[in-house]
Amino acid sequence: YDSLKASRKGDIYLPGSDSYRKNNLKDGLLGEAKYIGYNQAAIFVKKGNPKHVKNLEDFLRKDLYSVLCYHKSGSIGKMTKKIFYKYKGEEFFEDVYDNAAEISTDSRNINTAIRNGADVAINWKATAFFDENKKYIDIVEIPKKYAPKKKLVLNLLTFSKHKDIVKAFMEFASSKGGQKIMKKYGFVDGKN
């Protein structure tokens, strides 16, 4: 959001959570919006899960190279903190971060770390389905009581130079056909 705010370039914005829309509407950069589904955090492991990661407890294992997003950076960092707090509280959160081999800044860098050999991380589930990741990453589900679904909303940027095209895309993305494609790429609808 800070990049688009500074550059005022682009046509459409899809943040990791609808809270980004709610918190930034006051700036006047976000126009029409369409709900397109949900994303959810998951445990990311190397393809085939060779280290047999099963759950959140594994983030304390000393034999794993774990990567976590900084808890004040990006939507997945904030969500990771919430997950660990809900799971076992502040002490567990601190222990897990102290045990991490690497602290990253965002979802993209977490995926790069897994592709380059890290054993375990927490990231947005849908990113495991991206073409550059799907050959290298598998997911281990986190129970919804710890990792709630986060509503995804496409936002037309008020400075878009292609508003008609963006509106047509937003309509398609929220349609049955668009939802089928979203699901194929790891996003979930409200029923899952």
Side-chain angles (χ1 to χ4, degrees), residues 72-141:
K72 293 183 179 179
S73 171
S75 59
I76 194 58
K78 293 171 187 171
M79 177 53 67
T80 300
K81 179 180 178 180
K82 289 177 185 176
I83 289 168
F84 289 136
Y85 263 74
K86 281 183 181 180
Y87 181 64
K88 283 201 172 170
E90 183 177 0
E91 187 176 340
F92 185 80
F93 161 77
E94 290 175 1
D95 290 346
V96 165
Y97 270 80
D98 286 346
N99 191 52
E102 187 177 331
I103 303 298
S104 187
T105 56
D106 59 28
S107 178
R108 191 176 358 198
N109 288 325
I110 290 170
N111 288 331
T112 299
I114 294 285
R115 287 193 316 263
N116 290 336
D119 297 311
V120 65
I122 290 181
N123 207 346
W124 293 117
K125 185 188 301 187
T127 67
F129 294 81
F130 293 178
D131 284 342
E132 66 270 21
N133 299 328
K134 63 185 174 186
K135 291 187 277 185
Y136 306 99
I137 297 172
D138 277 335
I139 60 171
V140 175
E141 298 284 345

Side-chain angles (χ1 to χ4, degrees), residues 33-52:
K34 280 283 187 185
Y35 157 76
I36 58 165
Y38 292 86
N39 204 353
Q40 187 176 19
I43 297 171
F44 279 35
V45 295
K46 291 179 193 176
K47 197 66 158 178
N49 196 2
K51 300 281 181 118
H52 308 289

Side-chain angles (χ1 to χ4, degrees), residues 9 13 17 22-24 48 53 55 62 68 81 91-92 98 105 110 118 146-147 158 188-189 191:
K9 292 181 181 174
Y13 173 56
S17 168
K22 292 174 188 168
N23 295 337
N24 295 305
V53 172
N55 56 43
K62 301 293 183 200
L68 297 170
K81 179 180 178 180
E91 187 176 340
F92 185 80
D98 286 346
T105 56
I110 290 170
Y146 305 121
T158 55
V188 294
D189 61 30
K191 299 171 191 125

